[in-house]
């Protein structure tokens, strides 16, 4: 621009207003569109949902075959861009089938499916209220059985057992499907952290490797206790006869069932015995200073009155 008789616009003329925040209506519309899409499509493969359907700790819905394919690919290949993209879609919450629960939806008997834009959409209903589960109805499922209901039905019926299979559950294990509020998302995150501390997955099954960690911690605790007991005995001193002390040590070593703890105990006992033997063999310096190291002839020339003093030769008789 220039040399044509025109004017060069300045930045303040082009950018008059900053970006506006979305209004409440716009936010609700965006959330509704998101709910409509993910109630009909798998959050991992973006394909239409089809039975069996599974869900993770965040309440998202997946096709079970898509989850299986993703887990198989993850085990076969190393970390690639495709695997990273897949882990981002699941937020890293699915590492094995123990991290998902199969959601047992009830499909409407009269008209099980309906066509929407060339795809087939399942008509999922609540077995209690007979309402269709979807974007307009808040739905939940129960862990570990996986039965899905309308949230209003669970609140009204109350109780601590599933309304279909009578399996007991706690309030923390009522998972909202596709939660839309921040409070629900925070509650699900806190629940997952508590389960990880207990070594349990989303499906209330033991996490892989949790048993080994507990066993390792138990062995370490036994070793620490055995070392502490032996150290306490060493500090207390030999208050019992040597033979009885050796018998007690041998019995204590044999009584330990864990092989690693027994070997450590035997090693510490051997070091303690060697230390006691060296202490007996080395003469005590304090006792050594009480005795004279001079010749016996020099001691004969003195008596107890003059011992320790030097008498001049001219003064001797």
């Amino acid at each position: 621009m220039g040399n044509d008789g025109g004017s060069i616009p300045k930045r303040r003329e082009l950018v008059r207003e900053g970006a506006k925040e979305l209004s409440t209506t716009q936010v609700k519309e965006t959330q509704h569109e998101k709910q409509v899409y993910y109630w009909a499509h798998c959050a991992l493969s973006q394909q239409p949902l089809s039975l069996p359907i599974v869900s993770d700790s965040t309440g998202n819905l997946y096709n079970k075959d898509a989850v299986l394919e993703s887990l198989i690919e993850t085990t076969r290949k190393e970390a690639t861009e495709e695997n990273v993209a897949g882990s981002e879609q699941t937020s890293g919450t699915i590492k094995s089938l123990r991290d998902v629960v199969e959601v047992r939806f009830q499909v409407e008997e009269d008209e099980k499916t309906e066509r929407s834009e060339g795809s087939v959409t399942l008509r999922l209903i609540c077995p209690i209220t007979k309402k269709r589960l979807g974007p307009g109805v808040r739905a939940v499922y129960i862990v570990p059985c996986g039965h899905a209901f309308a949230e209003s039905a669970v609140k009204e019926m109350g109780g601590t057992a599933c309304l279909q299979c009578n399996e007991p559950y706690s309030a923390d294990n009522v998972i909202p499907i596709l939660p839309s509020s921040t409070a629900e998302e925070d509650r699900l995150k806190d629940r997952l952290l508590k389960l990880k501390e207990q070594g349990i997955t989303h499906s209330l099954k033991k996490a892989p490797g949790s048993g080994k960690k507990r066993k390792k911690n138990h062995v370490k605790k036994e070793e620490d206790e055995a070392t502490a007991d032996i150290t306490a005995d060493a500090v207390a001193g030999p208050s019992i006869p040597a033979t009885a002390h050796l018998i007690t040590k041998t019995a204590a070593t044999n009584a330990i069932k864990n092989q690693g703890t027994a070997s450590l105990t035997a090693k510490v006992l051997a070091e303690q015995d060697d230390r006691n033997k060296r202490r007996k063999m080395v003469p005590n310096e304090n006792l050594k200073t009480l005795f004279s190291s001079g010749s016996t002839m020099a001691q004969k020339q003195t008596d107890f009155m003059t011992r320790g003093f030097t008498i001049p030769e001219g003064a001797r008789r």
Side-chain angles (χ1 to χ4, degrees):
M1 299 175 64
N3 297 328
D4 57 355
S7 61
I8 299 175
K10 296 181 180 180
R11 184 178 182 277
R12 66 173 178 267
E13 296 176 356
L14 297 176
V15 183
R16 294 182 181 275
E17 297 180 358
K20 294 182 179 180
E21 295 183 357
L22 296 177
S23 62
T24 305
T25 305
Q26 291 174 340
V27 172
K28 290 183 178 180
E29 290 178 356
T30 304
Q31 291 180 351
H32 181 73
E33 292 176 358
K34 185 178 179 181
Q35 291 272 330
V36 171
Y37 181 81
Y38 285 111
W39 265 104
H41 296 82
C42 171
L44 181 61
S45 64
Q46 311 303 322
Q47 298 296 322
L49 285 175
S50 59
L51 299 177
I53 301 173
V54 296
S55 177
D56 61 357
S57 60
T58 60
N60 294 326
L61 299 178
Y62 307 92
N63 288 331
K64 190 173 183 179
D65 56 353
V67 174
L68 290 173
E69 291 176 2
S70 177
L71 293 175
I72 292 173
E73 291 296 327
T74 303
T75 55
R76 287 181 179 178
K77 300 179 181 179
E78 297 179 353
T80 59
E81 295 181 358
E82 296 179 357
N83 290 336
V84 171
S87 63
E88 289 178 354
Q89 291 176 0
T90 60
S91 301
T93 56
I94 302 178
K95 298 179 180 179
S96 67
L97 286 179
R98 299 182 183 185
D99 296 324
V100 295
V101 174
E102 183 174 347
V103 185
R104 301 181 182 180
F105 287 107
Q106 182 172 343
V107 183
E108 194 172 4
E109 298 179 356
D110 297 336
E111 189 178 356
K112 292 186 179 181
T113 59
E114 66 175 1
R115 296 192 174 275
S116 175
E117 297 181 0
S119 62
V120 178
T121 304
L122 294 173
R123 294 182 61 88
L124 309 174
I125 62 173
C126 172
I128 306 300
T129 61
K130 301 302 179 182
K131 292 181 179 179
R132 182 179 177 182
L133 302 180
V137 178
R138 297 168 63 90
V140 297
Y141 70 91
I142 297 173
V143 178
C145 65
H147 286 108
F149 306 93
E151 186 180 27
S152 59
V154 176
K155 288 184 177 180
E156 290 178 3
M157 299 297 294
T160 58
C162 177
L163 302 176
Q164 282 194 300
C165 63
N166 290 327
E167 185 169 354
Y169 68 90
S170 62
D172 291 338
N173 295 326
V174 179
I175 309 300
I177 299 176
L178 297 175
S180 57
S181 65
T182 307
E184 291 179 343
E185 295 176 355
D186 293 341
R187 183 180 73 83
L188 295 179
K189 290 180 181 179
D190 294 340
R191 172 183 176 272
L192 185 60
L193 291 176
K194 292 179 182 179
L195 293 179
K196 285 184 178 180
E197 293 176 356
Q198 300 174 4
I200 303 175
T201 58
H202 169 57
S203 59
L204 302 185
K205 297 178 182 178
K206 290 185 179 180
S210 62
K212 295 181 180 179
K213 292 181 181 178
R214 291 183 179 180
K215 185 177 180 180
K216 185 177 180 180
N217 294 334
H218 181 67
V219 171
K220 186 177 180 181
K221 185 177 180 181
E222 287 184 354
E223 294 177 355
D224 294 341
E225 290 178 354
T227 306
D229 294 341
I230 295 171
T231 306
D233 294 341
V235 173
S239 58
I240 55 177
T243 55
H245 194 59
L246 291 176
I247 294 173
T248 306
K249 291 181 180 178
T250 306
T253 305
N254 295 332
I256 300 175
K257 297 181 180 179
N258 187 275
Q259 185 176 2
T261 307
S263 61
L264 178 63
T265 305
K267 184 177 179 180
V268 174
L269 291 175
E271 293 178 355
Q272 182 181 353
D273 293 339
D274 294 340
R275 196 182 303 111
N276 293 336
K277 290 179 181 179
R278 287 196 299 269
R279 189 183 297 114
K280 292 179 180 179
M281 293 175 62
V282 176
N284 194 330
E285 295 295 336
N286 295 329
L287 296 176
K288 188 176 179 181
T289 56
L290 297 177
F291 300 94
S292 175
S293 58
S295 61
T296 55
M297 294 298 296
Q299 292 180 1
K300 288 182 179 180
Q301 296 178 0
T302 59
D303 54 11
F304 70 95
M305 294 291 293
T306 60
R307 187 173 299 169
F309 300 93
T310 303
I311 303 176
E313 293 182 0
R316 291 182 182 180
R317 297 179 180 178

